[in-house]
Amino acid sequence: MEGEKALLWGGRFTGATDPLMVQFNASIGVDKRLFLEDIQGSQAYAKAIARVGLLTDDELQSIIDGLDKVLEEWNSGTFEIQKTDEDIHTANERRLKELIGAIAGKLHTGRSRNDQVSTDMRMWLYKASGRLQDFLKKLMAVFIERATVEVDILMPGYTHLQRAQVVRWSHWLLSHASSLSRDLQRLQQLQKRVNVLPLGSGAIAGNPFGIDRELLAKDLGFDGVSLNSMDSTGDRDIIAEFTFWGTLTMMHLSKWAEDLIIYSTKEFSFIHLSDAYSTGSSLMPQKKNPDSLELIRGKAGSVFGKCAGFLVTLKGLPSTYNKDLQEDKQGMFDTYDILSAVLQIATGVLTTLQVNACQTHGALSEDMLATDVAYYLVRKGVPFREAHGLAGKVVQLAESEKCSMSELPLGKLQSLSLSFDSDLANVWDYNHSVEQYTSAGGTSKESVMKQIENIKAGCGLV
């Protein structure tokens, strides 16, 4: 029973807890990653209760110094987790008591693990979000640099995995950078919502000792305090948002990876991946596999699962804190760990890959200019629906004549429509094709360069 009484909640119980239940109930194996935030939150809370007379100056200093020693042990790897340490809060308070004695028992006055763990997680996630933003910005900087330098490279653009229209390689790069720019903005917005302090909410009803929560928030670097104690102890919106953010970001990165996997095949040969981000086959010596990209694509599923699983957990809960919420941290940590690794690997892949401009240009074909034929006729005054039909007939005529569209005699073209003239020759120029898309967001050089400036400005990369 001695171990039973050492538990934060053990005083009410007289019977022993099943050892398996003790193990099942514990979360120290996961939430020990919050040791720094838990200590910082406890030191700030000690100051808050000292300000209302619940700690003397000497007691406060003893707690602050004792927690500093606990932190030193965590940082040096000498902290020893005990069997009775259910979670990081129990572990730190137990060790503090060993160091400074009974005074440690005053630290938890008016505080619950419900508001304590929520505070720790928000502090951790705020910093983690900042690191992920840095990784995202580094990746986007590579997209922008390559789009700027390689702006004159042309390639086929695909819909339904079929060659559609001529675009710039830079336009393809920026299509993915645009998705990531939204991911960056979402993470920045989420970080602001994370930075709200729940500490001082107690278990459910609030704090009875009149602590200054606004000053406590300021001490810990929060922007403000939560509005309602019942809501804040059970609120895990930020975890749901974070795992969804990770899901959406991984979806965008998976799409990018899939494109590059296709482009790296011998059949396409648009790009060449660096050896640093490829592996070989255990059986076939000639193979060079895009494992970095396949792992990015594959790990997207893991993040999706974290999000879906946690949302199901939340859906089944009544209001305020429930033990189910102990499952929140694993998904948060896993999402961070995966995104942290993926963003850095993606940056390395994109930095080192080589684009084969001859191959991308060689994959262009005149049939991709069929829409340009329609646009040519529109500029001659032909209604688009009619022009679209005529362009289709030009394609059909070239197929029946077993020649390219540009080789069709003008007379045969005029048998379809008198709007065709000798200036149709301009349509067969691929550079002319991309340069006609001058509207914002288009693939003309001017438009692409404008996109680059807009993304740089919007993401703070100027």
Side-chain angles (χ1 to χ4, degrees):
M1 287 302 298
E2 190 60 36
E4 203 78 30
K5 291 179 180 177
L7 299 172
L8 292 186
W9 45 267
R12 179 254 184 269
F13 289 79
T14 56
T17 306
D18 184 330
L20 182 59
M21 176 58 191
V22 172
Q23 182 181 356
F24 186 63
N25 188 55
S27 62
I28 185 67
V30 175
D31 61 27
K32 63 185 179 182
R33 288 180 69 165
L34 298 172
F35 71 85
L36 173 61
E37 291 74 22
D38 193 70
I39 290 171
Q40 291 175 335
S42 292
Q43 289 177 326
Y45 189 73
K47 294 176 184 177
I49 59 176
R51 283 193 286 263
V52 295
L54 295 175
L55 292 176
T56 66
D57 290 344
D58 288 342
E59 289 172 332
L60 172 62
Q61 194 59 53
S62 179
I63 289 174
I64 297 295
D65 292 344
L67 287 170
D68 281 340
K69 291 178 182 177
V70 176
L71 180 58
E72 288 176 10
E73 292 182 4
W74 279 110
N75 286 331
S76 65
T78 60
F79 188 98
E80 294 184 5
I81 297 173
Q82 305 295 325
K83 289 183 178 180
T84 54
D85 294 339
E86 289 183 52
D87 50 36
I88 187 60
H89 328 297
T90 312
N92 283 338
E93 187 171 328
R94 184 264 309 163
R95 183 57 180 146
L96 179 64
K97 185 177 181 181
E98 292 173 352
L99 291 171
I100 69 172
I103 295 172
K106 291 190 174 185
L107 175 60
H108 210 58
T109 305
R111 183 175 67 168
S112 167
R113 284 189 294 181
N114 296 359
D115 60 350
Q116 187 177 357
V117 66
S118 182
T119 299
D120 292 355
M121 291 174 64
R122 285 175 179 268
M123 291 172 65
W124 186 91
L125 186 54
Y126 183 85
K127 290 179 286 188
S129 298
R131 290 190 291 270
L132 289 173
Q133 287 175 46
D134 290 340
F135 293 145
L136 253 176
K137 287 180 179 180
K138 288 177 182 178
L139 174 56
M140 292 182 65
V142 179
F143 272 103
I144 288 171
E145 180 181 4
R146 295 204 72 142
T148 302
V149 173
E150 298 165 341
V151 68
D152 291 324
I153 298 176
L154 303 185
M155 66 177 288
Y158 295 85
T159 65
H160 307 275
L161 272 181
Q162 304 294 317
R163 285 184 296 184
Q165 291 179 282
V166 185
V167 297
R168 294 183 183 277
W169 159 255
S170 294
H171 198 52
W172 174 85
L173 287 169
L174 294 175
S175 71
H176 293 288
S178 296
S179 297
L180 293 174
S181 70
R182 296 193 299 274
D183 295 325
L184 178 60
Q185 291 164 7
R186 272 186 286 268
L187 187 56
Q188 291 168 336
Q189 293 161 1
L190 170 59
Q191 191 180 37
K192 293 179 180 178
R193 288 189 288 277
V194 167
N195 212 29
V196 176
L197 177 72
L199 194 57
S201 297
I204 183 172
N207 187 285
F209 298 107
I211 65 169
D212 188 338
R213 294 187 68 210
E214 295 288 350
L215 186 54
L216 180 56
K218 184 177 180 181
D219 288 345
L220 288 171
F222 284 89
D223 293 331
V225 301
S226 57
L227 296 176
N228 180 281
S229 61
M230 291 183 70
D231 172 62
S232 63
T233 56
D235 172 24
R236 293 298 185 274
D237 287 2
I238 58 166
I239 308 303
E241 280 194 75
F242 180 61
T243 55
F244 174 72
W245 170 84
T247 296
L248 203 54
T249 302
M250 284 300 297
M251 183 187 73
H252 293 147
L253 290 167
S254 178
K255 184 185 296 185
W256 168 76
E258 173 66 6
D259 280 359
L260 288 182
I261 289 169
I262 294 171
Y263 294 164
S264 69
T265 61
K266 291 289 187 181
E267 288 74 13
F268 278 75
S269 296
F270 286 180
I271 65 160
H272 178 80
L273 290 176
S274 166
D275 288 352
Y277 297 98
S278 306
T279 65
S281 167
S282 61
L283 178 65
M284 298 166 284
Q286 83 281 7
K287 293 289 295 299
K288 181 176 181 179
N289 299 325
D291 282 10
S292 56
L293 295 169
E294 290 175 355
L295 285 169
I296 290 173
R297 186 178 61 185
K299 287 181 183 296
S302 297
V303 177
F304 289 16
K306 300 297 178 184
C307 179
F310 188 58
L311 288 175
V312 172
T313 297
L314 292 180
K315 186 268 174 194
L317 299 184
S319 61
T320 73
Y321 185 81
N322 297 269
K323 193 69 170 184
D324 313 54
L325 294 177
Q326 186 166 282
E327 297 299 305
D328 53 6
K329 290 168 283 297
Q330 189 68 67
M332 177 181 74
F333 291 144
D334 287 349
T335 298
Y336 170 79
D337 290 342
I338 292 174
L339 264 296
S340 176
V342 164
L343 289 170
Q344 293 179 79
I345 292 296
T347 301
V349 169
L350 187 59
T351 300
T352 57
L353 70 79
Q354 298 174 358
V355 56
N356 187 345
C358 293
Q359 189 71 17
T360 61
H361 194 279
L364 301 176
S365 57
E366 279 190 7
D367 60 298
M368 300 175 65
L369 300 174
T371 303
D372 297 58
V373 174
Y375 290 160
Y376 167 87
L377 292 171
V378 167
R379 292 186 178 97
K380 296 286 188 177
V382 178
F384 178 75
R385 286 302 175 197
E386 181 182 344
H388 183 278
L390 287 169
K393 290 179 179 179
V394 172
V395 174
Q396 188 180 51
L397 180 60
E399 290 178 350
S400 65
E401 295 290 328
K402 294 181 172 49
C403 67
S404 66
M405 290 189 291
S406 62
E407 293 173 333
L408 288 171
L410 180 59
K412 290 205 171 188
L413 290 169
Q414 288 181 333
S415 68
L416 299 175
S417 172
L418 294 177
S419 295
F420 286 114
D421 208 338
S422 59
D423 58 353
L424 180 64
N426 297 325
V427 170
W428 313 125
D429 184 293
Y430 295 126
N431 282 292
H432 175 272
S433 178
V434 294
E435 281 305 294
Q436 67 184 312
Y437 297 103
T438 56
S439 296
T443 196
S444 71
K445 189 171 185 176
E446 179 184 3
S447 179
V448 165
M449 298 308 293
K450 183 64 176 177
Q451 289 175 55
I452 290 172
E453 293 306 313
N454 288 338
I455 292 174
K456 287 170 64 176
C459 298
L461 299 174
V462 178

